[in-house]
Amino acid sequence: MDLPVDEWKSYILQKWSLLPKSIQVTISTAETLHDLFLHSSPLLQPEDEMFLKRLSGGYLVGKDPDASLFYREKGNQKFQAKDYMGAAVLYSKGVSHSGPSSTDISLCYANRSAALFHLGQYETCLKDIVRAQTHGYPERLQPKLLLRKAECLVTLGRPQEASQTVIDLESSFAAKPTLSASQFQILQRILCRVKVKVQEKENLPEIFPEALTKTFEGVDLREENEQIPGASSSVSLHVDPLKGRYLVATKDILPGELLVKEDAFVSVLNPGEVPLWPRGLESKWDIQVTNGDLHCHRCLRHTLAPVPCDGCSYAKYCSQECMQQAWDRYHSVECSLGALLLTLGLFCHVALRSTLLARFEDVGKVTKKLCGEMSNQGICLPESKNPAQTLKYDLGGEGDKKDKAVETPIPGCDINGKYERNYNAIFHLLPHTENHSPEHKFLCALSVSALCRQLEAAGLQAFTTDLKPTKLKAAEPPVLCAELSVWGVAMLRHMLQLQCNAQAITTIQQTGSKESLITDTRRVRLATALFPVVSLLNHSCSPNTSVSFIGTIATIRASQLIRSGQEILHCYGPHESRMGVAERRQKLRSQYFFDCDCPPCEREKQRPSAGPGRGAFRCHRCRALLQGDDVLSCSGPACMESVSRDLLVSRLQDLQRQVGAAQKHLRNGRLEVAIQLLLGCQSDAESFLSAEHSVVGEIEDALAQAYAALGDWEKSATHLQKSLQVVEVHHGPSSVEMGHELFKLAQVFFNGCAVPEALKTIQKAEKVLLVHYGPWNDEIRELQKMKSCLLDLLPIPVGPKE
């Protein structure tokens, strides 16, 4: 959730409505962010803070040993049902609630290692075994853990280490016979099996697993731009009074060329639907799986074995290294504020983290850039080595007279015209203060004020010490009181910036049954971030680039031929293939405060029938296009049929509900029921929708999934090809949506052993997906594996007999 929870929003809006008109006017007409914060902050009363505290209390982010036991028992149930993925996640929740060096955490790590072993995650399993031992795993249970370690090492092709583990285990048996006779016999049988495996492997060369991340790290720009770090030399930076900063091609750019590869300056994981504790004992701890359970809270890497923060149960990381980096840079401050930050929303969290990261910049450079621009805000303080006071100076201090303001032609650039991918660039993103409603600004100002009060109450010295915070320390309140208002102005600026400048980091998530041989995916929002270079791209409803993410790294590729001199354009969300011009322009105006005049919008304004969704309804008699506004008439030359638009819209909504019900049956494995419902939907759709309607495509795609699950590959391919036709009409033959659908069709042909058709489809899918993702995409690598397998199956041509 970007903004605070609904209860806090409603509370603040009610507070705003009760303010005297004079105070509303003062806040509404504040000329600077400093004035806005100065006039709003004192209005936050103790009763307001108490209300917010009660709201925050609904989020359980602290450690709770009872929760650890609860999750371990729930994980054991999943493990016994052979749901090892579900078990691993629940054991991870147990780990998060356990204190360090406790029996609870050691048992959760050990149990998770067993689930990971069954999932084939042997390297990760070994790490969990070490963690269990480090945290004091009970000695009486050690034999089981060592046997699992030996089996992992054998499977990974490390026989010498496995052999040593077996020797250690046998020594343990001899020295401390703590097991019962039956337990000893069971372990002896397993040990014998492991020893046989070790002997089989000992004569083989040792195999070391490849690092999972090295592939993407090797993907770099062909030639980096000297003016814009992280951008290709094929683009240049320009500025315009109306358009602001933007990128232009300096030469012809081919589809698929990498234009930007940039790590986020700041990112915060989207927690998903984190449930509030309803104060009921049975539902105190949830077993719902969210993004926060499956991704590192620093680098966003997917992980089944997260390492928890020692101080809270919410923050989790893919490794000890990520945890330490997060703690040093921002989590040492955020740790005690987890419930409050969940209540105040992602934008407030990103705003806080941005200011915390500013402490690690070369603040002298930032000072010179910002002192001249922001001096009219009246926050003029002398230079100081104190990071908080330096930020004051950045926000508008005149500082020492010898440091004169340096004006640069393009905001965010240094004195040499080089764009800085740092806090200076983030600061120069426009907050659009004049466009936000007074109520919204008041909500943001009081939310930031509440956060500052909590920082002050906690006595966090992270703002006022050197740039290497390690632990939370008490500070003198008088020092913080004077300086937190400065941080408050900075956070308020960032919070207002985010509506127009936040970039959603997305990932492709598999949906449907785990057992399905055909991949069904959806794009989900993983995090909210700020990217200095990506933010330079302007919007188009038909962009010439494609954006994808791996962790916190954004890559932008040309999705079509871009001629020299053309602007590099990105879609902010409203795309011409998904909505009509009126809806697109309304969304862009309400969120980004501009009227879109890109070519598709101008074209559709002149020809309204050209937009998507036009021509969606067809005459049930002659199948010709229905035209009109409230009453639609058949366009057929000899047909006089007419019908109410409201009636057709109602039929469409009913049809969508039926399709949704069928898809639910499909997900739950009730295939025959799903197929019957979908065939009925298909027949109904044909009576009043065009063959290219998006709902028709949904029905055909679902039928393809159902027949694939039954192993009827021929029918599956037939329906998927119809779905492809709809996707092509809506998104184009070279779209990323087309690539995903071609990938599914390749899977269908592959599983149906239709070798020529599969190879042809694989080639098409590769060509499209390479443009949007580059060679290291999971689907592309899967396509390459399928192609290799199929080529091995092809018969070797035999020449004619002589």
Side-chain angles (χ1 to χ4, degrees), residues 427-660:
F427 186 89
H428 276 96
L429 298 175
L430 295 178
H432 294 282
T433 311
E434 70 283 1
N435 296 117
H436 292 288
S437 69
E439 295 86 351
H440 179 74
K441 289 186 284 192
F442 186 64
L443 170 67
C444 293
L446 257 63
S447 296
V448 168
S449 297
L451 182 55
C452 286
R453 299 272 182 93
Q454 285 300 305
L455 290 169
E456 183 177 1
L460 300 180
Q461 200 179 13
F463 294 102
T464 57
T465 55
D466 59 30
L467 302 184
K468 297 179 181 178
T470 53
K471 296 293 182 182
L472 303 184
K473 302 176 182 178
E476 296 179 9
V479 178
L480 285 170
C481 289
E483 296 171 349
L484 275 173
S485 62
V486 179
W487 287 82
V489 175
M491 286 190 278
L492 178 58
R493 179 181 178 86
H494 296 317
M495 199 169 178
L496 294 175
Q497 285 174 336
L498 284 161
Q499 179 169 317
C500 295
N501 295 287
Q503 173 67 56
I505 294 179
T506 60
T507 186
I508 300 296
Q509 190 175 84
Q510 187 169 339
T511 59
S513 171
K514 297 173 188 174
E515 290 75 31
S516 176
L517 295 172
I518 306 304
T519 302
D520 197 16
T521 59
R522 61 172 181 160
R523 186 174 292 276
V524 297
R525 179 180 168 192
L526 186 58
T528 295
L530 286 171
F531 292 90
V533 177
V534 175
S535 68
L536 296 173
L537 274 68
N538 281 328
H539 166 81
S540 171
C541 296
S542 180
N544 51 21
T545 61
S546 184
V547 182
S548 61
F549 303 90
I550 293 184
T552 58
I553 297 175
T555 60
I556 297 180
R557 296 178 182 274
S559 60
Q560 57 188 254
L561 176 64
I562 304 174
R563 295 293 184 186
S564 178
Q566 280 188 304
E567 186 176 354
I568 310 298
L569 297 165
H570 167 41
C571 181
Y572 291 179
H575 195 285
E576 67 165 337
S577 66
R578 290 187 286 271
M579 59 187 74
V581 60
E583 185 181 1
R584 294 201 308 270
R585 300 191 92 202
Q586 188 277 326
K587 284 182 176 292
L588 290 165
R589 191 180 301 114
S590 63
Q591 181 173 353
Y592 297 98
F593 310 123
F594 71 88
D595 291 313
C596 186
D597 58 359
C598 69
C601 285
E602 292 299 309
R603 183 172 62 246
E604 286 181 49
K605 279 194 298 182
Q606 297 170 10
R607 295 186 297 113
S609 62
R614 308 297 180 261
F617 297 121
R618 300 284 179 175
C619 176
H620 74 284
R621 291 183 181 278
C622 67
R623 301 295 298 145
L625 173 68
L626 291 174
Q627 295 178 330
D629 294 320
D630 295 336
V631 176
L632 302 177
S633 301
C634 182
S635 61
C639 184
M640 303 296 292
E641 196 71 20
S642 63
V643 63
S644 163
R645 179 181 289 276
D646 288 342
L647 178 63
L648 292 176
V649 169
S650 178
R651 282 189 67 184
L652 177 60
Q653 291 170 343
D654 287 340
L655 178 61
Q656 289 172 318
R657 281 191 286 269
Q658 293 175 50
V659 173

Side-chain angles (χ1 to χ4, degrees), residues 613-738:
R614 308 297 180 261
F617 297 121
R618 300 284 179 175
C619 176
H620 74 284
R621 291 183 181 278
C622 67
R623 301 295 298 145
L625 173 68
L626 291 174
Q627 295 178 330
D629 294 320
D630 295 336
V631 176
L632 302 177
S633 301
C634 182
S635 61
C639 184
M640 303 296 292
E641 196 71 20
S642 63
V643 63
S644 163
R645 179 181 289 276
D646 288 342
L647 178 63
L648 292 176
V649 169
S650 178
R651 282 189 67 184
L652 177 60
Q653 291 170 343
D654 287 340
L655 178 61
Q656 289 172 318
R657 281 191 286 269
Q658 293 175 50
V659 173
Q663 290 171 330
K664 186 175 181 180
H665 285 301
L666 183 58
R667 288 192 298 270
N668 293 331
R670 296 190 285 270
L671 303 178
E672 297 294 347
V673 177
I675 288 173
Q676 290 306 311
L677 276 173
L678 288 167
L679 289 174
C681 292
Q682 184 188 55
S683 177
D684 189 18
E686 287 174 354
S687 68
F688 74 107
L689 296 179
S690 68
E692 296 82 21
H693 195 284
S694 59
V695 173
V696 173
E698 281 184 54
I699 294 169
E700 297 296 342
D701 187 85
L703 280 167
Q705 291 280 334
Y707 283 118
L710 290 172
D712 192 335
W713 304 109
E714 188 174 346
K715 280 188 178 179
S716 179
T718 299
H719 287 289
L720 203 49
Q721 285 168 322
K722 291 179 181 178
S723 173
L724 265 170
Q725 293 172 4
V726 177
V727 171
E728 184 169 355
V729 168
H730 282 264
H731 300 283
S734 301
S735 64
V736 67
E737 291 83 1
M738 193 70 174

Side-chain angles (χ1 to χ4, degrees), residues 131-206:
R131 289 167 182 149
Q133 292 172 323
T134 302
H135 287 280
Y137 189 64
E139 191 171 345
R140 60 186 174 80
L141 301 175
Q142 286 283 350
K144 286 196 301 183
L145 211 57
L146 290 172
L147 279 171
R148 191 176 303 136
K149 178 180 178 181
E151 289 198 84
C152 281
L153 292 167
V154 169
T155 307
L156 291 169
R158 292 152 64 178
Q160 288 80 13
E161 293 174 72
S163 180
Q164 184 58 53
T165 303
V166 169
I167 292 170
D168 294 342
L169 188 54
E170 288 180 319
S171 300
S172 177
F173 281 160
K176 298 177 182 178
T178 57
L179 301 174
S180 67
S182 59
Q183 290 175 318
F184 183 76
Q185 288 174 359
I186 293 170
L187 287 174
Q188 280 286 70
R189 285 198 296 270
I190 299 172
L191 182 58
C192 289
R193 190 175 74 240
V194 172
K195 288 173 73 174
V196 170
K197 288 183 180 179
V198 170
Q199 291 169 1
E200 290 174 352
K201 293 274 187 178
E202 275 185 332
N203 295 325
L204 297 175
E206 192 161 349

